[in-house]
Coordinates of all heavy atoms in Angstrom, one line a residue:
M1085 N 0.9 -1.2 0.0 CA 0.0 0.0 0.0 C 0.9 1.2 0.0 O 1.8 1.3 0.8 CB -0.9 0.0 1.2 CG -1.7 1.2 1.4 SD -2.6 1.5 2.9 CE -3.6 0.1 3.1
P1086 N 0.6 2.2 -0.9 CA 1.4 3.4 -0.9 C 1.3 4.2 0.4 O 0.2 4.3 1.0 CB 0.9 4.2 -2.1 CG 0.0 3.3 -2.8 CD -0.4 2.2 -1.9
L1087 N 2.3 4.8 0.8 CA 2.4 5.5 2.1 C 1.4 6.7 2.0 O 0.7 7.0 3.0 CB 3.8 6.1 2.4 CG 4.0 6.8 3.7 CD1 3.6 5.9 4.9 CD2 5.4 7.2 3.8
E1088 N 1.2 7.4 0.9 CA 0.3 8.5 0.7 C -1.1 8.1 1.0 O -1.9 8.8 1.6 CB 0.4 9.1 -0.7 CG 1.8 9.8 -0.9 CD 2.8 8.8 -1.4 OE1 2.5 7.7 -1.8 OE2 4.0 9.1 -1.3
L1089 N -1.5 6.9 0.5 CA -2.8 6.4 0.7 C -3.1 6.1 2.1 O -4.1 6.4 2.7 CB -3.1 5.2 -0.2 CG -4.5 4.5 -0.1 CD1 -5.6 5.5 -0.5 CD2 -4.5 3.3 -0.9
F1090 N -2.1 5.5 2.7 CA -2.2 5.2 4.2 C -2.4 6.4 5.0 O -3.2 6.5 5.9 CB -1.0 4.4 4.6 CG -1.0 3.9 6.0 CD1 -1.8 2.9 6.4 CD2 -0.2 4.5 7.0 CE1 -1.9 2.5 7.7 CE2 -0.2 4.1 8.3 CZ -1.0 3.0 8.7
D1091 N -1.6 7.5 4.7 CA -1.7 8.7 5.4 C -3.0 9.4 5.2 O -3.6 10.0 6.1 CB -0.6 9.7 5.0 CG 0.8 9.4 5.5 OD1 0.9 8.6 6.5 OD2 1.8 9.9 5.0
E1092 N -3.5 9.3 4.0 CA -4.8 9.9 3.7 C -5.9 9.2 4.5 O -6.8 9.9 5.0 CB -5.1 9.8 2.2 CG -6.4 10.5 1.8 CD -6.7 10.4 0.3 OE1 -5.7 10.4 -0.5 OE2 -7.9 10.4 -0.1
V1093 N -5.9 7.9 4.5 CA -6.9 7.2 5.3 C -6.8 7.5 6.8 O -7.9 7.7 7.4 CB -6.8 5.7 5.0 CG1 -7.7 4.9 6.0 CG2 -7.1 5.3 3.6
L1094 N -5.7 7.6 7.3 CA -5.5 7.9 8.7 C -6.0 9.3 9.0 O -6.7 9.6 10.0 CB -4.0 7.8 9.2 CG -3.5 6.4 9.4 CD1 -2.0 6.5 9.7 CD2 -4.3 5.6 10.4
T1095 N -5.8 10.2 8.1 CA -6.2 11.6 8.3 C -7.8 11.6 8.2 O -8.4 12.3 9.0 CB -5.7 12.5 7.2 OG1 -4.2 12.5 7.3 CG2 -6.1 13.9 7.3
Q1096 N -8.4 10.9 7.3 CA -9.8 10.9 7.2 C -10.4 10.3 8.5 O -11.5 10.8 9.0 CB -10.3 10.0 6.0 CG -10.0 10.7 4.7 CD -10.4 9.8 3.5 OE1 -10.8 8.7 3.7 NE2 -10.2 10.4 2.3
I1097 N -9.8 9.3 9.1 CA -10.3 8.7 10.3 C -10.2 9.6 11.4 O -11.1 9.8 12.2 CB -9.6 7.3 10.6 CG1 -9.9 6.3 9.6 CG2 -9.9 6.9 12.0 CD1 -9.0 5.0 9.6
K1098 N -9.1 10.3 11.5 CA -8.9 11.3 12.6 C -9.9 12.4 12.5 O -10.5 12.8 13.5 CB -7.5 11.9 12.5 CG -7.2 12.9 13.6 CD -5.8 13.6 13.4 CE -5.5 14.6 14.5 NZ -6.4 15.6 14.6
H1099 N -10.2 12.9 11.3 CA -11.2 14.0 11.1 C -12.6 13.5 11.5 O -13.3 14.3 12.1 CB -11.2 14.5 9.7 CG -10.0 15.3 9.3 ND1 -9.7 16.5 10.0 CD2 -9.0 15.2 8.4 CE1 -8.6 17.0 9.5 NE2 -8.1 16.2 8.6
K1100 N -12.9 12.3 11.2 CA -14.2 11.7 11.5 C -14.4 11.7 13.0 O -15.4 12.1 13.5 CB -14.3 10.3 11.0 CG -15.5 9.6 11.3 CD -15.5 8.1 10.8 CE -16.7 7.4 11.3 NZ -16.7 6.0 10.8
F1101 N -13.3 11.3 13.8 CA -13.5 11.3 15.2 C -13.4 12.7 15.8 O -14.1 13.0 16.8 CB -12.4 10.4 15.9 CG -12.6 8.9 15.7 CD1 -11.9 8.2 14.8 CD2 -13.6 8.3 16.4 CE1 -12.2 6.8 14.6 CE2 -13.9 7.0 16.3 CZ -13.2 6.2 15.4
D1102 N -12.7 13.6 15.2 CA -12.6 15.0 15.7 C -14.0 15.6 15.5 O -14.5 16.3 16.3 CB -11.6 15.8 14.9 CG -10.2 15.4 15.3 OD1 -10.0 14.8 16.4 OD2 -9.2 15.8 14.6
D1103 N -14.6 15.3 14.3 CA -16.0 15.9 14.0 C -17.0 15.4 15.0 O -17.8 16.1 15.5 CB -16.4 15.5 12.6 CG -15.6 16.3 11.5 OD1 -14.9 17.3 11.9 OD2 -15.7 15.9 10.4
K1104 N -16.9 14.1 15.4 CA -17.9 13.5 16.3 C -17.6 14.1 17.7 O -18.6 14.4 18.5 CB -17.8 12.0 16.4 CG -18.3 11.4 15.1 CD -18.8 10.0 15.4 CE -19.3 9.4 14.1 NZ -20.6 9.8 13.7
K1105 N -16.4 14.3 18.1 CA -16.1 14.9 19.4 C -16.6 16.3 19.5 O -17.3 16.7 20.5 CB -14.5 14.9 19.6 CG -14.1 15.6 20.9 CD -12.6 15.6 21.0 CE -12.1 16.3 22.2 NZ -10.7 16.4 22.2
I1106 N -16.4 17.1 18.4 CA -17.0 18.5 18.4 C -18.5 18.5 18.5 O -19.1 19.2 19.2 CB -16.5 19.2 17.1 CG1 -15.0 19.5 17.3 CG2 -17.2 20.5 16.9 CD1 -14.3 20.0 16.0
Y1107 N -19.1 17.5 17.7 CA -20.6 17.4 17.7 C -21.1 17.2 19.2 O -22.0 17.8 19.6 CB -21.0 16.3 16.8 CG -22.5 15.9 16.9 CD1 -23.4 16.7 16.3 CD2 -22.9 14.9 17.7 CE1 -24.8 16.4 16.4 CE2 -24.3 14.6 17.8 CZ -25.2 15.4 17.1 OH -26.5 15.1 17.2
W1108 N -20.5 16.2 19.9 CA -20.9 15.9 21.2 C -20.6 17.0 22.2 O -21.4 17.3 23.1 CB -20.3 14.6 21.7 CG -21.0 13.4 21.1 CD1 -20.6 12.6 20.1 CD2 -22.3 12.9 21.4 NE1 -21.5 11.6 19.8 CE2 -22.6 11.8 20.6 CE3 -23.2 13.3 22.4 CZ2 -23.8 11.1 20.7 CZ3 -24.4 12.6 22.5 CH2 -24.7 11.5 21.6
Q1109 N -19.5 17.7 22.0 CA -19.2 18.8 22.9 C -20.3 19.9 22.7 O -20.7 20.5 23.7 CB -17.8 19.4 22.6 CG -16.7 18.5 23.1 CD -15.3 18.9 22.7 OE1 -15.2 19.7 21.7 NE2 -14.3 18.5 23.4
D1110 N -20.6 20.2 21.5 CA -21.6 21.2 21.2 C -23.0 20.8 21.7 O -23.7 21.6 22.3 CB -21.7 21.5 19.7 CG -20.5 22.2 19.1 OD1 -19.7 22.7 19.9 OD2 -20.4 22.2 17.8
L1111 N -23.3 19.5 21.6 CA -24.6 19.0 22.1 C -24.7 19.1 23.6 O -25.7 19.6 24.2 CB -24.7 17.5 21.7 CG -26.1 16.9 21.8 CD1 -27.1 17.7 20.9 CD2 -26.0 15.5 21.4
M1112 N -23.6 18.8 24.3 CA -23.6 18.9 25.8 C -23.6 20.4 26.2 O -24.2 20.7 27.2 CB -22.3 18.2 26.3 CG -22.4 16.7 26.2 SD -24.0 15.9 26.7 CE -24.0 16.4 28.4
T1113 N -23.0 21.3 25.5 CA -23.1 22.7 25.8 C -24.5 23.2 25.7 O -25.0 23.9 26.6 CB -22.2 23.5 24.9 OG1 -20.8 23.1 25.1 CG2 -22.3 25.0 25.2
L1114 N -25.2 22.8 24.6 CA -26.6 23.1 24.5 C -27.5 22.5 25.6 O -28.4 23.2 26.1 CB -27.1 22.7 23.1 CG -26.6 23.4 21.9 CD1 -27.0 22.8 20.6 CD2 -27.0 24.9 21.9
A1115 N -27.2 21.3 26.0 CA -28.0 20.6 27.0 C -27.7 21.3 28.4 O -28.7 21.5 29.1 CB -27.5 19.2 27.1
R1116 N -26.5 21.7 28.6 CA -26.2 22.5 29.9 C -27.0 23.8 29.9 O -27.5 24.2 31.0 CB -24.7 22.7 30.0 CG -24.0 21.5 30.4 CD -22.5 21.7 30.7 NE -21.7 20.5 30.8 CZ -20.9 20.0 29.9 NH1 -20.7 20.7 28.8 NH2 -20.3 18.9 30.1
K1117 N -27.1 24.5 28.8 CA -27.8 25.7 28.8 C -29.3 25.5 29.1 O -29.9 26.3 29.8 CB -27.6 26.4 27.4 CG -26.2 27.0 27.2 CD -26.1 27.7 25.9 CE -24.7 28.2 25.7 NZ -24.5 28.8 24.4
E1118 N -29.8 24.4 28.5 CA -31.2 24.1 28.7 C -31.5 23.7 30.2 O -32.5 24.1 30.8 CB -31.7 22.9 27.9 CG -31.8 23.2 26.4 CD -33.0 24.2 26.2 OE1 -34.1 24.0 26.8 OE2 -32.8 25.1 25.4
I1119 N -30.5 23.0 30.8 CA -30.6 22.7 32.2 C -30.6 24.0 33.1 O -31.5 24.1 33.9 CB -29.5 21.8 32.7 CG1 -29.6 20.4 32.0 CG2 -29.4 21.7 34.2 CD1 -28.4 19.5 32.2
Q1120 N -29.7 24.9 32.8 CA -29.6 26.1 33.6 C -30.9 26.9 33.4 O -31.4 27.5 34.4 CB -28.4 26.9 33.1 CG -27.1 26.4 33.5 CD -25.9 27.2 32.9 OE1 -26.1 28.0 32.0 NE2 -24.7 26.9 33.4
K1121 N -31.4 27.0 32.2 CA -32.6 27.7 32.0 C -33.8 27.2 32.7 O -34.6 27.9 33.4 CB -32.9 27.7 30.5 CG -34.1 28.6 30.1 CD -34.2 28.8 28.6 CE -34.7 27.6 27.9 NZ -35.0 27.8 26.4
K1122 N -34.0 25.8 32.7 CA -35.1 25.2 33.4 C -35.0 25.3 34.9 O -35.9 25.6 35.6 CB -35.1 23.7 33.0 CG -36.4 23.0 33.5 CD -37.6 23.7 33.0 CE -38.5 22.8 32.2 NZ -39.7 23.4 31.8
V1123 N -33.8 25.2 35.5 CA -33.5 25.3 36.9 C -33.8 26.7 37.4 O -34.5 26.9 38.4 CB -32.1 24.9 37.3 CG1 -31.8 25.3 38.7 CG2 -31.9 23.4 37.1
Q1124 N -33.5 27.7 36.6 CA -33.8 29.1 36.9 C -35.3 29.4 36.8 O -35.8 30.1 37.6 CB -33.0 30.0 36.0 CG -31.5 30.1 36.3 CD -30.7 31.0 35.3 OE1 -31.2 31.4 34.3 NE2 -29.5 31.2 35.7
Q1125 N -35.9 28.8 35.8 CA -37.4 29.0 35.6 C -38.1 28.5 36.8 O -39.1 29.1 37.3 CB -37.9 28.3 34.4 CG -37.6 29.0 33.1 CD -38.1 28.2 31.9 OE1 -38.4 27.0 32.0 NE2 -38.1 28.8 30.7
L1126 N -37.7 27.3 37.3 CA -38.4 26.7 38.4 C -37.9 27.1 39.8 O -38.5 26.7 40.8 CB -38.3 25.1 38.3 CG -38.9 24.5 37.0 CD1 -38.6 23.1 36.9 CD2 -40.4 24.8 36.9
N1127 N -36.8 27.9 39.8 CA -36.3 28.4 41.0 C -36.0 27.3 42.0 O -36.5 27.3 43.2 CB -37.2 29.5 41.6 CG -36.5 30.3 42.7 OD1 -35.3 30.4 42.6 ND2 -37.3 30.9 43.5
I1128 N -35.3 26.3 41.6 CA -35.0 25.1 42.4 C -33.8 25.4 43.3 O -32.8 25.9 42.9 CB -34.6 23.9 41.5 CG1 -35.7 23.6 40.5 CG2 -34.3 22.7 42.3 CD1 -36.9 23.0 41.0
D1129 N -34.0 25.1 44.6 CA -32.9 25.3 45.6 C -32.5 24.0 46.3 O -31.5 23.9 46.9 CB -33.3 26.4 46.6 CG -34.5 26.0 47.4 OD1 -35.2 25.0 47.1 OD2 -34.9 26.8 48.3
N1130 N -33.3 23.0 46.1 CA -33.1 21.6 46.7 C -32.2 20.8 45.7 O -32.5 20.7 44.6 CB -34.4 20.9 47.0 CG -34.3 19.6 47.5 OD1 -33.5 18.8 47.1 ND2 -35.1 19.3 48.5
E1131 N -31.1 20.3 46.2 CA -30.1 19.6 45.3 C -30.8 18.3 44.7 O -30.5 18.0 43.6 CB -28.8 19.2 46.1 CG -27.9 20.4 46.3 CD -27.5 21.1 45.0 OE1 -27.1 20.4 44.0 OE2 -27.6 22.4 45.0
K1132 N -31.6 17.6 45.5 CA -32.2 16.4 45.0 C -33.2 16.7 43.8 O -33.2 16.1 42.8 CB -32.9 15.7 46.1 CG -33.5 14.3 45.7 CD -34.1 13.6 46.9 CE -34.7 12.3 46.4 NZ -35.2 11.5 47.6
K1133 N -34.0 17.8 44.0 CA -34.9 18.2 43.0 C -34.1 18.7 41.8 O -34.5 18.5 40.6 CB -35.8 19.3 43.5 CG -36.9 18.8 44.4 CD -37.8 19.9 44.9 CE -38.8 19.4 45.9 NZ -39.6 20.5 46.4
K1134 N -33.0 19.4 42.0 CA -32.2 20.0 40.9 C -31.6 18.8 40.1 O -31.7 18.9 38.9 CB -31.1 20.8 41.5 CG -30.2 21.5 40.5 CD -29.2 22.4 41.2 CE -28.3 23.1 40.2 NZ -27.3 24.0 40.8
K1135 N -31.2 17.8 40.7 CA -30.6 16.6 40.0 C -31.7 16.0 39.2 O -31.5 15.6 38.0 CB -30.0 15.6 41.0 CG -29.5 14.4 40.4 CD -28.3 14.6 39.5 CE -27.7 13.3 39.0 NZ -27.1 13.4 37.7
M1136 N -32.9 15.8 39.7 CA -34.0 15.2 39.0 C -34.4 16.1 37.7 O -34.6 15.5 36.7 CB -35.3 15.1 39.9 CG -35.1 14.0 40.9 SD -36.4 13.9 42.1 CE -37.9 14.1 41.2
I1137 N -34.4 17.4 37.9 CA -34.7 18.3 36.8 C -33.6 18.2 35.7 O -33.9 18.1 34.5 CB -34.8 19.8 37.3 CG1 -36.1 19.9 38.2 CG2 -34.9 20.7 36.1 CD1 -37.4 19.6 37.5
Q1138 N -32.4 18.1 36.2 CA -31.2 18.0 35.2 C -31.4 16.8 34.4 O -31.2 16.8 33.2 CB -29.9 18.0 36.0 CG -29.5 19.3 36.6 CD -28.3 19.2 37.4 OE1 -27.9 18.2 37.9 NE2 -27.7 20.4 37.7
D1139 N -31.6 15.6 35.1 CA -31.8 14.4 34.3 C -32.9 14.4 33.4 O -32.8 14.0 32.2 CB -32.0 13.2 35.3 CG -30.7 12.9 36.2 OD1 -29.6 13.5 35.8 OD2 -30.9 12.2 37.2
S1140 N -34.0 15.0 33.8 CA -35.2 15.1 32.9 C -34.9 16.0 31.7 O -35.3 15.6 30.6 CB -36.4 15.7 33.7 OG -37.5 15.9 32.9
V1141 N -34.3 17.1 31.9 CA -34.0 18.0 30.8 C -33.0 17.3 29.8 O -33.2 17.4 28.6 CB -33.4 19.3 31.3 CG1 -32.8 20.2 30.2 CG2 -34.5 20.1 32.1
V1142 N -32.0 16.6 30.3 CA -31.1 16.0 29.4 C -31.8 14.9 28.6 O -31.6 14.9 27.3 CB -29.9 15.3 30.2 CG1 -29.1 14.4 29.3 CG2 -29.0 16.4 30.8
V1143 N -32.6 14.1 29.2 CA -33.4 13.1 28.4 C -34.3 13.7 27.4 O -34.3 13.3 26.2 CB -34.2 12.2 29.4 CG1 -35.1 11.3 28.6 CG2 -33.2 11.3 30.2
T1144 N -35.0 14.7 27.8 CA -35.9 15.4 26.8 C -35.1 16.1 25.7 O -35.5 16.0 24.5 CB -36.8 16.5 27.6 OG1 -37.5 15.8 28.6 CG2 -37.7 17.2 26.7
F1145 N -34.1 16.7 26.1 CA -33.2 17.4 25.1 C -32.7 16.4 24.1 O -32.7 16.6 22.8 CB -32.1 18.2 25.8 CG -31.1 18.8 24.9 CD1 -31.5 20.1 24.3 CD2 -29.9 18.3 24.5 CE1 -30.6 20.7 23.4 CE2 -29.0 18.9 23.7 CZ -29.4 20.2 23.1
L1146 N -32.1 15.3 24.5 CA -31.5 14.3 23.6 C -32.6 13.7 22.8 O -32.4 13.4 21.6 CB -30.7 13.3 24.4 CG -29.4 13.8 25.0 CD1 -28.8 12.7 25.9 CD2 -28.5 14.3 24.0
N1147 N -33.7 13.4 23.3 CA -34.8 12.8 22.6 C -35.2 13.7 21.4 O -35.5 13.3 20.3 CB -36.0 12.5 23.4 CG -35.9 11.2 24.2 OD1 -35.1 10.3 23.8 ND2 -36.6 11.1 25.3
T1148 N -35.3 15.0 21.7 CA -35.7 16.0 20.7 C -34.7 16.1 19.6 O -35.1 16.1 18.4 CB -35.8 17.4 21.4 OG1 -36.8 17.3 22.4 CG2 -36.3 18.4 20.4
K1149 N -33.4 16.1 20.0 CA -32.4 16.1 19.0 C -32.4 14.8 18.1 O -32.2 14.9 16.9 CB -31.0 16.3 19.6 CG -30.8 17.6 20.3 CD -30.9 18.7 19.2 CE -30.7 20.1 19.9 NZ -30.8 21.2 18.9
L1150 N -32.6 13.7 18.7 CA -32.6 12.5 17.9 C -33.8 12.4 17.0 O -33.7 11.9 15.9 CB -32.6 11.2 18.9 CG -31.3 10.9 19.6 CD1 -31.6 9.9 20.7 CD2 -30.3 10.5 18.6
E1151 N -35.0 12.9 17.5 CA -36.1 13.0 16.6 C -35.9 13.9 15.4 O -36.3 13.6 14.3 CB -37.4 13.5 17.4 CG -37.9 12.4 18.3 CD -39.0 13.0 19.2 OE1 -39.3 14.2 19.1 OE2 -39.5 12.2 20.1
M1152 N -35.2 15.0 15.6 CA -34.9 15.9 14.6 C -34.0 15.3 13.5 O -34.1 15.5 12.3 CB -34.2 17.2 15.1 CG -35.2 18.1 15.9 SD -34.4 19.5 16.7 CE -33.4 20.2 15.4
Q1153 N -33.1 14.4 13.9 CA -32.2 13.7 13.0 C -32.9 12.7 12.1 O -32.6 12.5 11.0 CB -31.1 13.0 13.8 CG -30.0 13.8 14.2 CD -28.8 13.0 14.8 OE1 -29.0 11.9 15.2 NE2 -27.6 13.6 14.7
H1154 N -34.0 12.1 12.6 CA -34.7 11.1 11.9 C -35.8 11.7 11.0 O -36.4 10.9 10.2 CB -35.3 10.1 12.8 CG -34.3 9.3 13.5 ND1 -33.3 8.5 12.9 CD2 -34.1 9.0 14.9 CE1 -32.5 7.9 13.8 NE2 -33.0 8.2 15.0
T1155 N -36.0 12.9 11.0 CA -37.0 13.5 10.1 C -36.4 14.3 9.0 O -35.2 14.4 8.8 CB -37.9 14.5 10.9 OG1 -37.1 15.5 11.5 CG2 -38.8 13.8 11.9

């Protein structure tokens, strides 16, 4: 196998993983913003309730994003 082809394939693989990493980082940033917004809206001061709201918002947020991908 020519070295140039091997280098090209490795570069493509690296870019693929870099793109996915960036995608997930952006997605988590958006999810954190949604969590902050919801916690502020509900004025939560109890840590247990705050954790429940966080989990709920993450699940809802990810479900919404996945549904958008399939349409």
Side-chain angles (χ1 to χ4, degrees):
M1085 175 190 301
L1087 184 57
E1088 293 82 20
L1089 179 60
F1090 184 71
D1091 284 344
E1092 184 179 331
V1093 170
L1094 285 178
T1095 301
Q1096 288 175 358
I1097 292 170
K1098 182 183 180 305
H1099 287 300
K1100 177 181 175 182
F1101 286 105
D1102 288 345
D1103 290 345
K1104 292 208 180 283
K1105 179 182 174 184
I1106 291 168
Y1107 172 79
W1108 281 104
Q1109 287 173 338
D1110 291 346
L1111 193 63
M1112 291 311 300
T1113 299
L1114 291 172
R1116 285 185 191 105
K1117 288 179 183 178
E1118 287 295 315
I1119 290 168
Q1120 289 174 346
K1121 186 169 72 173
K1122 188 57 121 177
V1123 168
Q1124 287 176 350
Q1125 282 177 347
L1126 298 174
N1127 197 22
I1128 304 290
D1129 58 355
N1130 179 314
E1131 287 301 315
K1132 187 175 180 178
K1133 288 180 183 177
K1134 185 176 179 181
K1135 177 68 176 146
M1136 288 172 41
I1137 295 297
Q1138 288 174 343
D1139 293 347
S1140 173
V1141 170
V1142 167
V1143 169
T1144 303
F1145 178 79
L1146 291 176
N1147 281 338
T1148 301
K1149 292 297 181 183
L1150 287 171
E1151 287 173 0
M1152 289 173 50
Q1153 277 187 338
H1154 292 305
T1155 57

